[in-house]
């Protein structure tokens, strides 16, 4: 799988004699936040057509996501960061991920400029899979009908994405986000096709957990995760080993936290996790995030959280790796 960052790199690649795009591609465009069952159906459409034509499959995404560019801090939180998205697309079998920078210059692209520069000159697209409500270009002037018209004249076809429903409900990133906001972990899992998880790099924190007897691995969230509260989790380390644990996700109000973070305590783990990438799977919600009057009260509550988590794991099963 290849990652192409930016239009300049795409155009440079397209000019090379050994370019994987020399015979064109089958592409789709979107945020693919969460890579849920609906996304996977679209990816299957793209890969199936690409295999039939003997060309690469391409997923085009944007950084930042368009709503983040236009809405800033008011944009909804992501379900996953870019690294996790890329790894998920890799797991689905996509050949190329094209990540374009969504900035003022890109936002000003005309619809026809986007088609000519990105789809035709850059990707040499032969087949495009997008929703019939897809809009693009400055002031969202481009639409599905325009793509069909241009494609008919310029030699590429356009196909509508297939809608996926679960229990009569359309699968979407928005709906998954809504469910996670109300701790609907099981319902969100049904739409995602897997339990909700966050993957991130462990960084140095204030080490307050260590001081109160509950050392944690700290992961900065940036814009990731609609969850807030304390959860039973399992976590996979870089070496593939798994541990049960408890995670707090939020602002840590008792210790005047300013930036959302994910703090994970792994049961029965010894060693250091700094610099590793953890994949944290959220299994069960224990309680909402609270502000306590003192650190001692917080310490007592954490002890109760550990007891409650171990009791839940004893009833529902451990995901810890066998020694």
């Amino acid at each position: 799988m290849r990652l192409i960052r930016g239009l300049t790199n795409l155009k440079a690649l397209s000019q090379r004699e050994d370019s994987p795009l020399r015979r064109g591609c089958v592409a789709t465009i979107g945020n693919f936040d969460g890579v849920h069952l609906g996304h996977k159906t679209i990816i299957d459409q793209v890969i199936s057509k690409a295999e039939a034509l003997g060309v690469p499959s391409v997923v085009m995404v944007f950084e930042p996501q368009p709503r983040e560019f236009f809405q800033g801090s008011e944009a909804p939180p992501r379900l996953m960061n870019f690294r996790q998205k890329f790894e998920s697309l890799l797991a689905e079998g996509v050949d190329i991920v094209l990540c374009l920078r969504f900035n003022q210059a890109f936002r000003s692209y005309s619809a026809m400029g986007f088609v000519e520069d990105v789809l035709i000159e850059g990707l040499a697209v032969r087949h495009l899979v997008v929703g019939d409500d897809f809009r693009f270009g400055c002031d969202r002037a481009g639409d599905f009908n325009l793509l069909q018209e241009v494609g008919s004249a310029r030699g590429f076809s356009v196909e509508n994405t297939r809608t996926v429903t679960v229990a009569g409900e359309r699968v979407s990133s928005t709906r998954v986000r809504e469910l996670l906001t109300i701790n609907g972990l099981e319902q969100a899992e049904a739409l995602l096709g897997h339990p909700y998880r966050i993957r991130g790099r462990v960084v140095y924190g204030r080490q307050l957990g260590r001081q109160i007897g509950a050392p944690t691995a700290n992961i900065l969230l940036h814009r990731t995760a609609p969850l807030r509260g304390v959860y039973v989790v399992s976590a996979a380390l870089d070496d593939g080993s798994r541990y049960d644990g408890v995670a707090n996700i939020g602002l840590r109000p008792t210790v005047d936290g300013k930036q959302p973070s994910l703090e994970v305590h792994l049961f029965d783990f010894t060693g250091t996790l700094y610099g590793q990438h953890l994949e944290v799977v959220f299994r069960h919600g224990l309680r909402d995030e609270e502000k306590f009057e003192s650190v001692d009260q917080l310490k007592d509550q954490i002890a109760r959280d550990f007891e409650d988590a171990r009791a839940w794991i004893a009833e529902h099963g451990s995901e810890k790796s066998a020694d």
Side-chain angles (χ1 to χ4, degrees):
M1 183 182 187
R2 179 190 293 265
L3 171 63
I4 305 172
R5 283 189 177 272
L7 185 56
T8 299
N9 289 330
L10 172 64
K11 289 184 175 181
L13 177 66
S14 67
Q15 300 301 314
R16 287 169 37 183
E17 292 186 1
D18 63 344
S19 170
L21 298 168
R22 65 187 180 279
R23 298 182 58 244
C25 70
V26 176
T28 187
I29 307 169
N31 289 324
F32 287 84
D33 189 22
V35 190
H36 52 59
L37 292 179
H39 293 142
K40 293 176 182 180
T41 297
I42 296 170
I43 292 168
D44 287 344
Q45 283 181 259
V46 171
I47 291 176
S48 177
K49 186 67 173 182
E51 289 176 347
L53 295 177
V55 296
S57 56
V58 176
V59 171
M60 184 191 308
V61 297
F62 305 97
E63 284 293 326
Q65 294 178 167
R67 288 185 69 177
E68 294 170 348
F69 174 81
F70 289 110
Q71 297 179 236
S73 61
E74 298 302 313
R78 293 192 184 197
L79 296 175
M80 55 173 48
N81 59 32
F82 178 76
R83 179 189 178 103
Q84 189 175 355
K85 182 189 300 185
F86 177 76
E87 291 174 346
S88 296
L89 292 172
L90 171 64
E92 293 302 316
V94 174
D95 293 316
I96 296 172
V97 173
L98 170 62
C99 180
L100 297 181
R101 184 72 178 170
F102 200 97
N103 52 22
Q104 187 59 44
F106 191 84
R107 181 254 182 217
S108 301
Y109 243 125
S110 68
M112 282 305 302
F114 175 81
V115 173
E116 291 285 351
D117 287 358
V118 180
L119 298 183
I120 296 176
E121 181 181 344
L123 290 173
V125 67
R126 293 178 59 182
H127 186 76
L128 184 65
V129 179
V130 291
D132 57 12
D133 59 349
F134 177 65
R135 304 301 293 263
F136 63 99
C138 184
D139 297 324
R140 294 166 53 85
D143 59 13
F144 189 84
N145 290 333
L146 176 63
L147 288 170
Q148 286 187 314
E149 292 173 7
V150 176
S152 179
R154 300 297 297 274
F156 65 88
S157 51
V158 184
E159 178 184 1
N160 191 10
T161 56
R162 299 168 190 156
T163 298
V164 176
T165 60
V166 172
E169 182 174 35
R170 178 177 175 270
V171 179
S172 70
S173 300
T174 297
R175 183 54 181 154
V176 172
R177 195 177 296 114
E178 291 171 350
L179 290 169
L180 292 174
T181 300
I182 60 172
N183 277 328
L185 292 176
E186 291 186 5
Q187 300 96 314
E189 179 178 348
L191 304 190
L192 288 167
H194 56 77
Y196 181 63
R197 54 201 180 205
I198 293 176
R199 182 171 172 81
R201 184 171 176 270
V202 178
V203 299
Y204 284 96
R206 296 169 62 183
Q207 298 188 327
L208 292 175
R210 188 177 302 278
Q211 296 173 27
I212 60 176
T216 58
N218 299 279
I219 298 171
L220 295 182
L221 295 177
H222 304 293
R223 291 200 48 77
T224 305
L227 294 177
R228 290 291 183 270
V230 179
Y231 297 84
V232 180
V233 299
S234 66
L237 280 58
D238 284 338
D239 64 4
S241 61
R242 301 193 69 90
Y243 289 83
D244 299 313
V246 173
N248 181 85
I249 185 168
L251 291 172
R252 301 166 297 163
T254 304
V255 294
D256 297 322
K258 304 297 183 184
Q259 186 175 4
S261 68
L262 170 60
E263 296 179 310
V264 185
H265 175 81
L266 303 182
F267 293 144
D268 308 316
F269 174 80
T270 57
T272 180
L273 292 170
Y274 294 122
Q276 289 202 48
H277 287 87
L278 291 188
E279 182 177 79
V280 182
V281 176
F282 293 82
R283 302 187 64 197
H284 174 69
L286 289 174
R287 62 175 175 85
D288 294 335
E289 189 173 44
E290 301 176 51
K291 182 174 183 178
F292 297 94
E293 295 299 321
S294 68
V295 172
D296 284 340
Q297 287 185 5
L298 172 61
K299 182 178 179 179
D300 291 341
Q301 180 60 59
I302 289 174
R304 289 192 291 271
D305 292 338
F306 287 3
E307 290 179 4
D308 293 342
R310 289 186 183 277
W312 188 91
I313 292 167
E315 180 178 352
H316 294 84
S318 171
E319 294 195 354
K320 184 180 186 297
S321 301
D323 293 332

